[in-house]
């Protein structure tokens, strides 16, 4: 599932990564709905990409939720397997597009 | 005024038996402004379309653009994206489009040169940011891409690169940059302080 949503957010007092973390928290990022890998081998259910435009322009937030499980990609080094990358998985309860947009709208204008 | 055969509902052959250096001009358009669509020599050889001479009722005019096209000398196609609206972050560990970094070109059967100039970072030290270029959905820099590893927490590094594709087919092509992280959050700087450039140009 791919969702793109525009939200007026003031993140002038923080880094883009901090603003991204605030958006993740608003979306319910956690063990059962993981949108960011903390380590390279985590199991993740989607991702969030954001264009952090300054006001009066909106932030453009793209959310991807994986709909099928995908085995991790093997990492190769010097022709040998040296580990694996993240596992992509479909979350147990897929959120609706509306619910995700409503959660992001709560970040509107007031700042994160 | 040359002989005119106006369109009708019947089918007939129009035979041309002129001298070897003569031409049969097939003209279309309103009578007041005849232009040549196609010409045939007396032996049936098609001749590159050209304007009808004034003596035959035409304008004898051809634009420079039409002349270049007829000789295969069109200017190379090119496109550029510059983004300063705001930095871009991603948490994706699979390649996703860099927002706005898409150029669509209509090319001949020629390669394209492309490049990006941007600053990258990752919040977490030791974690990679990977970039790649997709032309019509085909990754140009391997199944993974070009790897840059963050050495210092959230420290900016220059992730610029350029390359050249193989010869493409004649037609419309979409060239876009994609990126991902190994983990954590990656930042692509694209604001007034660190303008992000992406370009593609046909090589003729």
């Amino acid at each position: 599932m791919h969702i793109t949503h525009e939200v007026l957010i003031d993140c002038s007092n923080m880094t883009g990564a901090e603003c991204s973390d605030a958006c993740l928290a608003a979306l319910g990022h956690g063990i059962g709905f993981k949108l960011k890998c903390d380590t390279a081998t985590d199991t993740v259910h989607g991702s969030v990409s954001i264009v952090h435009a300054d006001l009066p322009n909106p932030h453009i937030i793209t959310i991807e939720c994986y709909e099928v499980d995908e085995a991790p990609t093997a990492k190769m080094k010097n022709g040998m397997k040296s580990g694996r990358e993240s596992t992509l998985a479909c979350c147990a309860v897929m959120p609706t597009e509306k619910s995700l947009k409503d959660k992001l709208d709560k970040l509107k204008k007031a700042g994160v | 005024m040359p002989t005119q055969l106006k369109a009708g509902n019947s089918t007939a052959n129009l035979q041309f038996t002129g001298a070897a250096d003569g031409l049969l001009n097939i003209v279309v358009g309103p009578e007041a402004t005849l232009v040549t669509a196609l010409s045939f020599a007396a032996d049936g050889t098609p001749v590159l379309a050209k304007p009808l001479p004034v003596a035959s009722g035409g304008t004898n005019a051809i634009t420079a653009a039409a002349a270049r096209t007829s000789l295969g000398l069109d200017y190379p196609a090119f496109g550029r994206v510059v983004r300063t609206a705001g930095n871009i972050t991603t948490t994706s560990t699979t390649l996703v489009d860099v927002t706005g970094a898409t150029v669509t070109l209509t090319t001949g059967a020629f390669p394209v040169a492309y490049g990006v100039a941007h600053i990258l970072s990752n919040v977490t030290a030791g974690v990679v940011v990977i970039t790649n270029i997709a032309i019509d959905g085909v990754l140009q820099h391997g199944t993974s891409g070009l790897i840059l590893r963050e050495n210092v927490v959230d420290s900016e590094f220059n992730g610029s690169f350029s390359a050249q594709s193989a010869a493409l087919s004649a037609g419309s092509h979409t060239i876009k940059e994609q990126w991902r992280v190994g983990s954590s959050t990656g930042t692509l700087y694209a604001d007034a302080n660190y303008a992000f450039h992406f370009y593609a140009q046909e090589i003729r």
Side-chain angles (χ1 to χ4, degrees):
Chain A
M1 177 171 65
H2 248 99
I3 301 167
T4 299
H5 192 49
E6 295 185 358
V7 187
L8 288 171
I9 296 174
D10 180 7
C11 69
S12 56
N13 294 323
M14 64 183 66
T15 66
E18 290 169 341
C19 177
S20 175
D21 283 345
C23 292
L24 291 176
L27 290 167
H29 164 71
I31 294 175
F33 184 50
K34 202 167 179 67
L35 298 173
K36 180 182 76 169
C37 283
D38 298 311
T39 67
T41 56
D42 280 359
T43 294
V44 65
H45 303 105
S47 69
V48 174
S49 301
I50 305 172
V51 177
H52 301 265
D54 293 329
L55 294 177
N57 298 313
H59 278 38
I60 303 171
I61 302 172
T62 302
I63 305 165
E64 183 179 20
C65 297
Y66 304 132
E67 296 176 334
V68 294
D69 295 348
E70 192 169 309
T73 302
K75 286 170 58 178
M76 307 298 288
K77 188 172 185 179
N78 300 326
M80 304 288 289
K81 287 186 182 179
S82 65
R84 64 172 182 86
E85 298 185 345
S86 60
T87 301
L88 311 182
C90 178
C91 60
V93 179
M94 180 68 74
T96 64
E97 180 174 334
K98 183 181 185 306
S99 69
L100 292 174
K101 289 181 176 179
D102 287 345
K103 289 176 180 178
L104 288 175
D105 285 339
K106 292 179 180 175
L107 296 168
K108 195 182 297 184
K109 286 183 182 174
V112 296
Chain B
M1 182 65 67
T3 301
Q4 295 180 348
L5 182 67
K6 297 185 180 181
N9 294 327
S10 61
T11 301
N13 291 329
L14 179 65
Q15 184 171 359
F16 174 54
T17 55
D21 59 351
L23 288 175
L24 168 66
N25 294 315
I26 299 175
V27 296
V28 295
E31 289 189 20
T33 55
L34 295 175
V35 296
T36 301
L38 183 63
S39 297
F40 292 94
D43 64 356
T45 302
V47 177
L48 197 64
K50 61 176 187 179
L52 199 65
V54 172
S56 300
T59 63
N60 202 29
I62 184 168
T63 64
R68 285 198 303 274
T69 300
S70 69
L71 294 171
L73 296 175
D74 284 325
Y75 293 136
F78 61 92
R80 185 180 82 139
V81 170
V82 178
R83 291 193 64 91
T84 57
N87 297 341
I88 307 170
T89 59
T90 191
T91 62
S92 181
T93 57
T94 59
L95 287 171
V96 291
D97 294 345
V98 173
T99 306
T102 298
V103 169
T104 300
L105 300 179
T106 300
T107 72
F110 299 102
V112 295
Y114 54 81
V116 301
H118 55 33
I119 304 296
L120 303 169
S121 72
N122 193 301
V123 169
T124 304
V127 178
V128 300
V129 179
I130 296 174
T131 54
N132 210 323
I133 295 292
I135 299 180
D136 301 331
V138 177
L139 294 173
Q140 301 296 300
H141 296 278
T143 54
S144 184
L146 303 176
I147 296 175
L148 285 160
R149 191 176 298 277
E150 175 71 76
N151 289 323
V152 178
V153 170
D154 219 7
S155 173
E156 303 92 344
F157 49 84
N158 188 342
S160 307
F161 63 92
S162 62
Q164 177 182 312
S165 76
L168 306 178
S169 59
S172 178
H173 302 282
T174 300
I175 303 110
K176 57 173 67 175
E177 186 187 16
Q178 297 184 322
W179 70 320
R180 72 175 182 91
V181 292
S183 65
S184 192
T185 303
T187 299
L188 189 158
Y189 292 78
D191 60 10
N193 295 317
Y194 306 97
F196 161 49
H197 287 229
F198 173 61
Y199 73 90
Q201 63 183 71
E202 181 185 15
I203 300 173
R204 283 180 173 256

